Amino acid sequence: MKPTIRAVLLCAAGIPPVTALIVVDAAYWPVSVFFMLFVLLVGGVDALLCPSARALMVTARPPGQLNVGRDGVLSLTVAFRRTGMAVAVDCLLDVNDVLTRPPLRRVIVPVNTETEFDLALRADRRGMADVEAIWLRWRGPLGLFQRSHAVQGGRIPVIPDVNLVREMEIRFNARDAMHGVKVQRQKGEGREFNALKEWRPGMDTRSIDWKQSARHRALISKEYDVERNHPVVFAFDTGHLMGEAVHGLTKLDHAINASLVLGWTCLQGGDRVGAYGFNARMGAYATPTGGRSGFVRLQGFGAELDYSVDETNFTLGLGGLLGRLDRRSLVIVFSDFVDTVTADLMIDGLRRLAGRHLVLFVTFRNVELEGVAESMPRGAKGLAGSVIAADLVQERRIVTRSLEQMGILCLETVPGEVNAALVNQYMDIKRQGLI
């Protein structure tokens, strides 16, 4: 128990008038004694009426896990025994750097009644979130003295966000429930022949079967099914550039979330998914696997990817992946670069990888840098910053064009649009039979 700011102000407020009385006439010195006794009496009554920590009953229920970038709640149940008044309780969490510290929460606990409330939790990084302590503080009825008590919160694993995948699965299952479960054929430019159909303007002229067209005296085209069972490997650059926070999450976490969405789509389409991580060294590798186990494995792999402050060694990292793939695969590389100088080794590694596999390079646009380059500069300093930003944006475009000239597919988008853009790019690849 300790005094509050109100108690200190009460004592300080009485000192000037008491001092003034004694200065005017020393006979008024008993007033100071009475004032001290009054303060002690009021403070003692408030201290006695303030509920003790032994009367407090608190139960904490932390969530089983948190999704990175998503809000969660920690539920608390608070009650005071043997109290004849409602108590205002302030609650504050002591957390590690994985969690964002929530603001102070004040609740009113009625007389002899359990009060349940939630404290918001948000993790902007993957890892193990520690709620080291839950601090509760309450005051006496006069607000002169306060007590505090701490309870243990627990540890909460923070995993990649799978909510978008769950929403996709719900929509998929709901559609099947309404219309029946049946084999879904995806039409495209694969190698598995499906049927003949009349050619229409706008269709690819390469699909025309001239022999069948002569027999039917009309243009007839061949229709193919998209091939399945292709390996799709997600390669994650976990270097320091991917640790930069964009829209509340690191680029690496945005990449992992996007891979889960696309991974689920690939598995639904009959392909197999794998994963690989690298930075200054070669990281873990998960061989492409199909079915539900493939998604569980991909989710676990993403949860275990660690952040790194090292500069990425693309020669070693991409070379190690090239040595582990024994079949032509779709390799989706999530990475980032600054300029043409730092991208030289990355371009060389991607070029060697694209010699045997289909490579899709995914990076995130630097919207702030583009904004500086396009804004009207103010003053000499603003002009210099605008010129530098424009040069960096131009160099990023040069790198992208160089990769595209090597036959590497490039996708540069903002984090909020990467999921849809990546799925659309995958569908185009499947439809054109590029793997």
Side-chain angles (χ1 to χ4, degrees):
M1 179 180 292
K2 62 181 181 179
T4 63
I5 299 295
R6 182 179 297 181
V8 175
L9 293 178
L10 177 63
C11 294
I15 294 176
V18 171
T19 305
L21 286 176
I22 296 177
V23 171
V24 172
D25 190 348
Y28 290 114
W29 67 265
V31 175
S32 61
V33 177
F34 292 138
F35 177 74
M36 293 176 56
L37 292 177
F38 170 77
V39 171
L40 291 175
L41 177 63
V42 173
V45 171
D46 190 67
L48 290 176
L49 294 179
C50 184
S52 66
R54 290 178 295 179
L56 173 66
M57 296 187 302
V58 56
T59 303
R61 292 181 297 277
Q65 63 185 25
L66 288 173
N67 294 117
V68 62
R70 295 271 185 166
D71 294 328
V73 294
L74 184 149
S75 298
L76 280 178
T77 302
V78 179
F80 285 95
R81 297 174 296 180
R82 301 185 300 273
T83 57
M85 62 180 181
V87 181
V89 178
D90 295 330
C91 183
L92 186 65
L93 297 184
D94 190 6
V95 299
N96 65 349
D97 57 355
V98 176
L99 290 172
T100 301
R101 183 186 297 274
L104 181 71
R105 175 76 183 276
R106 171 170 291 185
V107 295
I108 305 299
V109 180
V111 179
N112 299 325
T113 303
E114 292 186 352
T115 301
E116 184 175 353
F117 58 96
D118 296 331
L119 297 175
L121 297 177
R122 184 178 180 85
D124 295 331
R125 300 171 65 91
R126 288 170 294 105
M128 190 62 68
D130 286 330
V131 182
E132 299 171 357
I134 304 174
W135 289 95
L136 301 173
R137 182 184 64 189
W138 62 97
R139 299 178 179 181
L142 301 178
L144 301 178
F145 282 87
Q146 65 183 17
R147 299 180 188 269
S148 61
H149 182 70
V151 295
Q152 188 175 3
R155 309 191 72 192
I156 308 169
V158 181
I159 64 173
D161 184 16
V162 296
N163 289 298
L164 291 176
V165 180
R166 290 171 180 168
E167 294 171 3
M168 292 177 61
E169 186 174 8
I170 290 173
R171 290 197 297 266
F172 181 82
N173 291 335
R175 184 169 61 251
D176 286 344
M178 291 177 62
H179 303 291
V181 179
K182 62 180 180 180
V183 177
Q184 181 183 9
R185 294 184 178 273
Q186 295 179 339
K187 306 300 184 295
E189 300 175 4
R191 299 178 181 176
E192 299 180 7
F193 175 75
N194 177 46
L196 294 172
K197 63 183 300 183
E198 184 178 356
W199 185 87
R200 298 289 183 184
M203 298 175 62
D204 192 350
T205 55
R206 294 175 299 177
S207 64
I208 298 177
D209 187 332
W210 297 106
K211 185 180 295 186
Q212 295 294 333
S213 298
R215 180 178 302 174
H216 292 82
R217 296 183 180 180
L219 291 179
I220 302 297
S221 65
K222 292 181 179 179
E223 188 178 73
Y224 297 90
D225 285 339
V226 173
E227 297 180 44
R228 298 168 179 261
N229 201 32
H230 289 298
V232 179
V233 179
F234 299 100
F236 300 100
D237 173 9
T238 61
H240 70 99
L241 289 179
M242 293 296 286
E244 180 185 358
V246 180
H247 292 185
L249 291 180
T250 64
K251 295 179 181 178
L252 178 59
D253 287 320
H254 283 297
I256 293 174
N257 293 342
S259 71
L260 291 176
V261 175
L262 181 57
W264 185 88
T265 304
C266 295
L267 293 172
Q268 292 295 324
D271 290 332
R272 295 175 290 120
V273 297
Y276 175 69
F278 65 98
N279 43 58
R281 298 172 295 276
M282 292 186 295
Y285 173 69
T287 56
T289 307
R292 185 175 294 273
S293 61
F295 182 78
V296 175
R297 190 175 185 184
L298 179 63
Q299 180 182 356
F301 187 93
E304 295 175 1
L305 278 179
D306 199 4
Y307 306 95
S308 175
V309 296
D310 299 328
E311 185 175 356
T312 303
N313 188 333
F314 290 98
T315 303
L316 180 63
L318 296 179
L321 176 60
L322 184 60
R324 298 185 181 188
L325 298 177
D326 54 1
R327 178 185 169 185
R328 179 174 170 83
S329 309
L330 170 60
V331 181
I332 303 175
V333 180
F334 294 94
S335 185
D336 199 9
F337 60 94
V338 177
D339 51 25
T340 54
V341 176
T342 58
D344 281 342
L345 294 178
M346 182 191 73
I347 293 175
D348 184 65
L350 291 173
R351 178 183 56 79
R352 291 187 288 111
L353 187 63
R356 294 178 52 186
H357 306 279
L358 178 63
V359 178
L360 172 58
F361 177 71
V362 182
T363 187
F364 298 103
R365 289 172 47 195
N366 194 328
V367 180
E368 294 182 358
L369 187 66
E370 295 175 358
V372 173
E374 297 173 358
S375 62
M376 182 65 66
R378 296 183 178 178
K381 185 176 181 180
L383 179 60
S386 179
V387 171
I388 294 174
D391 289 341
L392 291 176
V393 171
Q394 181 63 26
E395 291 195 9
R396 289 183 68 89
R397 293 172 182 169
I398 293 174
V399 172
T400 302
R401 284 198 298 267
S402 300
L403 294 176
E404 291 174 344
Q405 291 173 358
M406 298 176 186
I408 298 173
L409 302 176
C410 296
L411 178 61
E412 186 175 12
T413 181
V414 295
E417 302 174 0
V418 64
N419 295 339
L422 193 56
V423 171
N424 290 335
Q425 185 73 55
Y426 167 76
M427 292 299 183
D428 291 340
I429 292 172
K430 293 285 287 184
R431 185 172 56 254
Q432 299 175 25
L434 299 179
I435 306 180

